[in-house]
Amino acid sequence: MGASLVYLESPNKEKHSKEGKNDRFEYAACEMQGWRLGMEDAVIHNLEFDEDTSLFGVFDGHGGKEASYVVRENYERILKEDSNYKSGDFKKGLYDSFKETDVYLDSDKGKKEMIVVANENPEAKNPIMKILGEETKEKPASERDEESYMLDSKGCTANVVLIKGKDIYCANAGDSRCVLSRGGKAVNLSEDHKPENEIETKRIEKAGSEITEGRVDGNLNLSRSLGDLKHKRKPGLTPEEQPITCVPDIMVEKIKTGDDFIVMA
């Protein structure tokens, strides 16, 4: 019954779309909640992120929308403030920005923002709980403590594309995907981070965690993310060594003749 507790009785098929363009690119974004009790995903689409630079991001939330929403609101600032990004080392800047975003989510300010998101965007009540008579009323925000929000269980994937001039940088942590259409053929700009991948399995087990039915410690079915901080507190380990790590893999491509579009999902 566990999986059914996070689903609606029928999917919410309402779609929210947005599009835009400048003299180089145009984009279209579409979101749909689906079966989940609330919309947990967030996106970034900024054609004018910086000089000759566009930024796009997909953040697929799990455990709630708190992490993905706070990441969306803060990631652009975090990347722009990174010293490596400022100096023109965009690959290192993207890498460090993921770690800096995790630090922000674990900060007092980041936690307060997640609590605000939770209070302003309550999830729909699960129909099964109503049938079982187990529906409980949540306390008013003024009567809840930080622990009741379970903030260290909130997380999201991060798939970020930075286009600087003719260079495409894709930074990915998790199992959201990015594909470039080049001359009618698909070119992967990201690879899913799943616990059963050899490099992920080695890190997870070395950190003292285990994989049960494809899930890290029987919980998450992905091995990299932003947030999910309860899986990142193994003493003596760097962020790169934690069972769930925030650090991204980064692929770089040059824009070529015949490149049509990029899909992020």
Side-chain angles (χ1 to χ4, degrees):
M1 189 180 77
S4 64
L5 298 182
V6 295
Y7 294 124
L8 296 169
E9 195 171 5
S10 60
N12 181 346
K13 297 181 181 180
E14 183 180 356
K15 297 177 180 65
H16 301 273
S17 301
K18 191 170 184 179
E19 57 187 50
K21 63 181 179 180
N22 62 8
D23 58 353
R24 295 193 66 205
F25 306 114
E26 58 182 315
Y27 74 85
C30 184
E31 301 173 298
M32 185 181 78
Q33 179 179 324
W35 288 93
R36 293 288 182 176
L37 297 178
M39 184 58 180
E40 297 182 338
D41 308 333
V43 297
I44 288 173
H45 32 67
N46 189 345
L47 291 168
E48 309 294 343
F49 175 68
D50 209 341
E51 184 178 351
D52 198 25
T53 307
S54 299
L55 183 73
F56 305 91
V58 170
F59 309 102
D60 183 350
H62 45 262
K65 80 283 291 177
E66 291 85 347
S68 60
Y69 281 33
V70 172
V71 170
R72 176 187 62 196
E73 296 303 310
N74 290 278
Y75 182 75
E76 294 179 67
R77 172 188 57 78
I78 289 170
L79 177 58
K80 266 191 177 176
E81 291 176 354
D82 179 81
S83 59
N84 288 293
Y85 176 83
K86 288 180 178 179
S87 69
D89 189 345
F90 303 117
K91 190 171 182 178
K92 186 67 164 62
L94 285 164
Y95 185 91
D96 286 349
S97 71
F98 277 47
K99 293 201 290 184
E100 290 156 3
T101 301
D102 245 17
V103 170
Y104 186 78
L105 290 173
D106 200 24
S107 69
D108 289 343
K109 189 174 181 182
K111 290 174 183 177
K112 286 178 182 176
E113 288 184 24
M114 284 198 283
I115 289 172
V116 169
V117 170
N119 290 333
E120 291 182 350
N121 301 272
E123 291 183 341
K125 299 301 180 183
N126 182 268
I128 289 182
M129 301 306 289
K130 294 178 183 178
I131 294 171
L132 296 175
E134 296 179 11
E135 185 181 14
T136 58
K137 259 193 172 181
E138 282 190 352
K139 291 182 179 179
S142 59
E143 297 179 18
R144 296 181 65 181
D145 58 15
E146 183 180 296
E147 188 176 347
S148 71
Y149 290 92
M150 298 186 293
L151 299 179
D152 62 356
S153 297
K154 313 297 183 179
C156 65
T157 68
N159 191 281
V160 173
V161 168
L162 179 79
I163 305 178
K164 175 71 174 179
K166 289 188 173 293
D167 294 322
I168 304 170
Y169 299 84
C170 179
N172 181 63
D175 56 4
S176 293
R177 295 183 183 179
C178 183
V179 178
L180 166 68
S181 174
R182 172 168 286 165
K185 294 184 178 180
V187 178
N188 291 332
L189 295 183
S190 69
E191 294 182 5
D192 292 0
H193 293 129
K194 290 294 190 180
E196 57 268 24
N197 296 357
E198 184 178 358
I199 190 171
E200 305 297 304
T201 299
K202 286 182 178 179
R203 185 191 71 251
I204 291 164
E205 293 180 345
K206 187 176 181 181
S209 287
E210 59 184 22
I211 301 167
T212 305
E213 296 182 352
R215 295 176 178 269
V216 180
D217 291 328
N219 190 342
L220 293 177
N221 68 345
L222 74 170
S223 51
R224 303 192 194 191
S225 69
L226 298 178
D228 298 310
L229 297 169
K230 73 176 184 178
H231 296 281
K232 299 175 177 178
R233 302 203 189 280
K234 297 278 188 177
L237 299 184
T238 66
E240 288 84 352
E241 296 169 332
Q242 295 291 339
I244 302 290
T245 180
C246 63
V247 299
D249 284 333
I250 301 174
M251 295 189 184
V252 184
E253 283 280 348
K254 286 278 187 185
I255 295 176
K256 298 179 180 178
T257 302
D259 288 354
D260 300 313
F261 53 85
I262 292 172
V263 176
M264 303 171 69

